[in-house]
Amino acid sequence: MLCDLCSRIIITAPSSETPIRIYASQLELEECAKKPCGFCRMIAQSHREEHKRWDTFNGPTLWDAKTFSHSDLRVYYTKASMEFETNITWSCSQSDLHRRHSMNPGLGGLFAHRNDPAANYFVGREIMTSPTSDIMYDLVKSWIKQCVENHRTCKTKAASTLPTRVIDVALGRSIDQAFLAEPDPGTRGEYAALSYCWGGSQTATLTSGTFAKKRSDIGYRELDKSLQDAIFIARKLDIPYIWIDSQCILQDSAEDWQRESARMGSIYHDAFLTIQLAAAENSRAGCLAERPRPEIPPVKLRFESPDGTLGSVYVRYRSVVRDEPIHKRGWTFQEELLSRRVLCYGHNQLSWECREAYQSESNHVIREEEFYFGLPKPTRVPQRFNISRPNFQPDDSYHQLSWTWANVVENFTQRQLTFSKDKLPALAGLSRHISTTRPGDKYLAGIWRNDLPRALLWGCIDIGVRPLEYRAPSWSWASLDGPIGIIGLRGMSQTMDFCRVIDTGTTVKDSFEFGEVLGGYIKLRGRLKEAWRMRIENNQKLDDVVQFLFDRDRPLTASDRPYSLKIGFCQVNVLEPVRRYNQPSSTWCFRVDTTEGLMLHRRGNGEFERIGTFELDEDKLEWFEDATEETILIV
């Protein structure tokens, strides 16, 4: 239902800069929202939420309704230059004698029914409440048919080799007859793979004690709901086999887990389809329940085309795109990247992704991720804003590969792992695949030999945490927990003349170079010089891990001006247990490029440990001129 003013709104094509609704004040907006008008209610709720969000970032003063007037609230139907999808946006100006601030947030996008005249002008479509309807499976089958028959890079000449174990889903028979199969080596066939969140322990897993029983009966009714749903989906799509880790790897055998997890990359890459349960927080959640209806139902507005044809469009309060639990988990990262086709069950809709296409129920527009060169398919992010990507020369594979790995590390390290020791194993399949695009290169505990020494210039976006048990040498980002940024791999200079790599080496578990690491070293030759780093008390511009770098060993006094005395800044990757302000700590600086280098701690045996990075001020670059070249060993 709409109020009198909102019922007069007509959405036209193309969009216009003229407001479609104006509220003189916040009071007027709130009064209108009390009436049974869905559109006014949407704008009022969005207004309140946006102000609350800004309070979180900027403090309550800027958005305090008692201090600032909320006037001239204008609502637009627009297709802005930075947006792919058409949307309803609004602006609100808050002002006093000193300050004025304006913003243009939006609602969840416009959509039209497929047979409505407005569908010719709006890409958005309605989403269904049931993910199990025949219409839904027909839609998925149409995506598969289009991919297999019409996509040149998606076509496969033959079925893939089946994994060591798969679940036979019992096509044409009762679902209770599904069982664990062990195909003969080299047997080919189509199979699906399941990508999901464990979210804790599971029931009825494959163990040495349950192996014989599952060979005849997988125990479908005993499985957790997510696993049941995945088997059900595979059957509906006529896929004869499915691979599920908890049912196809012996959970009580470290040897079997080590062997099969090393093959995990190829298992997902070779699968005909990966079923991704993105919205399920754990294995008990499932993905086939009825979807909850939106808190604020879509609002219907009138539409008029350029030729005068009338129709209807609908406004969503929230976008159907949202962050999903699966995108927070470490193991699922490589599963998604390596899969050739992904059928994703999200909170609000079903979507499809392959090498050449992205499809979804809502038909929302999607952009590709920054850059992932050499992976099976583009990596895409479902959002409306276009982010610029680097421009590489067609033959510049060196920087494309470096950029790819920087993206991999930065995305992967934002995710969570249940077991700390899985840091490198959870990326092993992806690392092994990428190694095929880097002939002659060597993988070293999360870093590629040909990317040295630039790849050593990584840093923690937040404060890093070093695990209690050894996991990787200090020069590897894998030695710490927390989001990592590899600034060195973003640079476009292929060589650095300030240091050179003499030797490298790692010791790995079970001779698997992409898995767990037991030790490692890097031997470098370059300029090394002692400096002193210091936390500056009451420095509001820097966080705890960014410290000042000085060329002399003395505490600061009240009369000292730190910004004048410093030679640069340094970033400490792990927060030290004792906070000493204005007191110098000895550190060794090893130059890697013009302004940046490694911050090192010298051990008693003469070896070094990486503790962070430093950056010299532009007017202090001569500081290294009197330093002698040395060969150092970093462990």
Side-chain angles (χ1 to χ4, degrees):
M1 184 178 294
L2 299 174
C3 66
D4 181 58
L5 289 176
C6 289
S7 66
R8 302 177 192 176
I9 296 174
I10 298 178
I11 301 298
T12 59
S15 60
S16 170
E17 296 298 322
T18 304
I20 61 174
R21 187 76 161 86
I22 298 177
Y23 304 91
S25 65
Q26 180 185 7
L27 179 61
E28 179 183 330
L29 172 62
E30 294 293 346
E31 288 299 318
C32 290
K34 294 177 183 178
K35 301 174 183 178
C37 176
F39 190 71
C40 289
R41 183 187 172 200
M42 275 189 178
I43 300 299
Q45 182 68 14
S46 178
H47 181 261
R48 288 190 293 266
E49 288 189 0
E50 192 68 16
H51 283 222
K52 184 178 180 179
R53 185 178 71 86
W54 275 89
D55 285 349
T56 302
F57 289 104
N58 300 297
T61 304
L62 181 59
W63 298 104
D64 188 352
K66 297 178 181 179
T67 305
F68 297 97
S69 61
H70 297 242
S71 60
D72 196 25
L73 287 94
R74 294 171 177 256
V75 183
Y76 300 88
Y77 149 56
T78 180
K79 189 170 185 178
S81 59
M82 279 294 290
E83 289 188 278
F84 285 131
E85 289 186 86
T86 310
N87 197 12
I88 298 293
T89 63
W90 56 267
S91 66
C92 167
S93 297
Q94 297 179 330
S95 60
D96 65 355
L97 295 176
H98 309 289
R99 168 174 8 194
R100 183 176 180 86
H101 187 94
S102 299
M103 59 184 181
N104 292 88
L107 298 180
L110 296 169
F111 69 90
H113 293 311
R114 298 182 186 279
N115 297 325
D116 193 283
N120 295 321
Y121 301 91
F122 298 91
V123 298
R125 296 292 179 264
E126 184 181 18
I127 55 177
M128 304 177 188
T129 58
S130 173
T132 59
S133 66
D134 289 339
I135 296 176
M136 291 293 294
Y137 288 111
D138 289 342
L139 178 63
V140 173
K141 289 179 180 179
S142 72
W143 292 340
I144 294 176
K145 180 179 174 65
Q146 182 183 27
C147 174
V148 173
E149 295 182 359
N150 301 329
H151 294 170
R152 181 182 59 84
T153 59
C154 294
K155 293 179 180 179
T156 53
K157 296 180 179 180
S160 302
T161 301
L162 292 175
T164 305
R165 305 180 191 99
V166 288
I167 299 172
D168 186 319
V169 302
L171 290 181
R173 310 190 302 278
S174 167
I175 197 169
D176 290 314
Q177 293 180 285
F179 64 93
L180 181 67
E182 283 192 303
D184 293 333
T187 301
R188 293 183 174 274
E190 287 185 352
Y191 68 95
L194 177 62
S195 178
Y196 67 114
C197 298
W198 273 55
S201 60
Q202 286 190 39
T203 59
T205 60
L206 179 67
T207 64
S208 302
T210 62
F211 179 78
K213 181 178 183 299
K214 287 182 179 288
R215 286 293 306 273
S216 59
D217 178 8
I218 198 67
Y220 176 80
R221 305 294 172 183
E222 301 171 359
L223 300 177
D224 285 356
K225 189 66 171 61
S226 290
L227 281 61
Q228 290 182 0
D229 288 353
I231 293 173
F232 182 85
I233 293 166
R235 286 170 56 91
K236 293 289 287 187
L237 298 179
D238 298 319
I239 301 174
Y241 304 104
I242 186 170
W243 185 90
I244 302 175
D245 56 0
S246 67
Q247 303 300 310
C248 298
I249 301 177
L250 290 168
Q251 300 301 303
D252 59 350
S253 170
E255 180 182 355
D256 194 64
W257 187 91
Q258 188 74 21
R259 181 176 59 252
E260 294 301 312
S261 64
R263 300 171 179 169
M264 207 170 289
S266 62
I267 289 173
Y268 283 93
H269 179 264
D270 293 343
F272 176 77
L273 172 69
T274 292
I275 300 170
Q276 183 186 66
L277 308 193
E281 294 185 354
N282 54 58
S283 62
R284 300 173 296 283
C287 68
L288 297 180
E290 290 284 311
R291 296 168 182 157
R293 297 189 178 275
E295 55 186 300
I296 301 179
V299 173
K300 181 180 179 180
L301 299 175
R302 292 191 293 167
F303 168 79
E304 183 176 349
S305 69
D307 63 4
T309 304
L310 300 179
S312 301
V313 293
Y314 295 80
V315 187
R316 289 190 183 95
Y317 177 60
R318 296 190 192 279
S319 171
V320 295
V321 177
R322 59 175 292 176
D323 292 333
E324 304 284 9
I326 203 166
H327 298 135
K328 300 176 183 178
R329 303 303 303 171
W331 278 98
T332 61
F333 180 65
Q334 68 171 2
E335 296 168 6
E336 181 174 0
L337 285 186
L338 290 173
S339 298
R340 295 179 294 167
R341 303 180 184 96
V342 177
L343 177 61
C344 174
Y345 283 79
H347 268 99
N348 300 311
Q349 68 166 346
L350 195 61
S351 61
W352 165 274
E353 193 175 353
C354 64
R355 291 174 179 173
E356 295 192 15
Y358 175 87
Q359 309 277 359
S360 68
E361 285 182 66
S362 67
N363 207 34
H364 65 266
V365 182
I366 197 167
R367 75 168 174 87
E368 293 185 8
E369 182 54 279
E370 291 180 59
F371 200 75
Y372 282 126
F373 175 77
L375 297 183
K377 65 179 187 310
T379 298
R380 305 172 176 102
V381 174
Q383 63 181 46
R384 294 202 312 273
F385 297 101
N386 184 19
I387 307 299
S388 61
R389 296 190 297 164
N391 293 319
F392 295 112
Q393 297 299 319
D395 60 347
D396 189 8
S397 60
Y398 177 85
H399 286 113
Q400 291 179 23
L401 289 168
S402 295
W403 197 277
T404 290
W405 192 246
N407 275 288
V408 165
V409 172
E410 290 169 4
N411 280 271
F412 174 71
T413 54
Q414 295 181 50
R415 299 184 174 222
Q416 301 166 355
L417 292 165
T418 302
F419 301 106
S420 174
K421 65 181 179 61
D422 289 347
K423 194 77 167 185
L424 290 170
L427 206 58
L430 185 59
S431 303
R432 171 181 268 176
H433 176 85
I434 289 178
S435 70
T436 64
T437 70
R438 305 179 71 123
D441 208 345
K442 185 173 178 57
Y443 186 73
L444 301 163
I447 288 177
W448 297 94
R449 177 66 170 76
N450 288 348
D451 284 341
L452 295 173
R454 296 181 305 128
L456 299 176
L457 295 178
W458 54 267
C460 297
I461 297 175
D462 297 318
I463 297 172
V465 177
R466 197 175 299 282
L468 296 177
E469 295 185 6
Y470 181 90
R471 191 173 63 199
S474 66
W475 42 264
S476 169
W477 55 266
S479 64
L480 299 178
D481 288 323
I484 298 293
I486 305 187
I487 305 302
L489 293 184
R490 302 292 190 188
M492 300 305 289
S493 172
Q494 185 165 340
T495 60
M496 294 186 176
D497 298 328
F498 296 96
C499 74
R500 63 183 186 273
V501 180
I502 304 300
D503 191 19
T504 61
T506 54
T507 303
V508 295
K509 185 177 180 180
D510 297 326
S511 302
F512 182 47
E513 69 172 306
F514 304 105
E516 290 185 52
V517 173
L518 304 177
Y521 68 90
I522 285 183
K523 186 179 291 186
L524 302 173
R525 183 158 182 85
R527 294 182 180 272
L528 180 72
K529 191 171 182 179
E530 188 177 16
W532 288 265
R533 54 189 170 87
M534 198 180 306
R535 282 193 182 92
I536 305 301
E537 194 170 9
N538 298 324
N539 180 39
Q540 300 300 316
K541 295 182 179 180
L542 301 174
D543 56 38
D544 266 334
V545 298
V546 179
Q547 302 179 15
F548 284 53
L549 194 64
F550 298 93
D551 62 354
R552 59 189 65 181
D553 180 15
R554 74 170 180 84
L556 291 179
T557 64
S559 61
D560 284 332
R561 300 176 61 187
Y563 277 92
S564 299
L565 296 173
K566 71 178 178 63
I567 60 173
F569 290 109
C570 56
Q571 181 184 21
V572 183
N573 293 145
V574 181
L575 191 63
E576 294 152 311
V578 180
R579 298 187 179 186
R580 299 171 54 204
Y581 290 101
N582 301 333
Q583 297 295 317
S585 296
S586 173
T587 189
W588 290 91
C589 297
F590 185 83
R591 193 175 194 177
V592 174
D593 71 2
T594 306
T595 61
E596 296 176 284
L598 303 178
M599 194 165 60
L600 305 172
H601 167 70
R602 189 194 290 269
R603 293 180 168 182
N605 60 1
E607 297 175 346
F608 288 89
E609 178 183 353
R610 183 193 186 281
I611 59 173
T613 57
F614 71 87
E615 182 173 4
L616 294 178
D617 293 341
E618 290 290 341
D619 60 347
K620 297 295 194 303
L621 300 183
E622 74 283 355
W623 180 69
F624 264 111
E625 289 183 359
D626 61 348
T628 58
E629 277 203 355
E630 296 188 36
T631 298
I632 64 171
L633 189 71
I634 308 176
V635 296

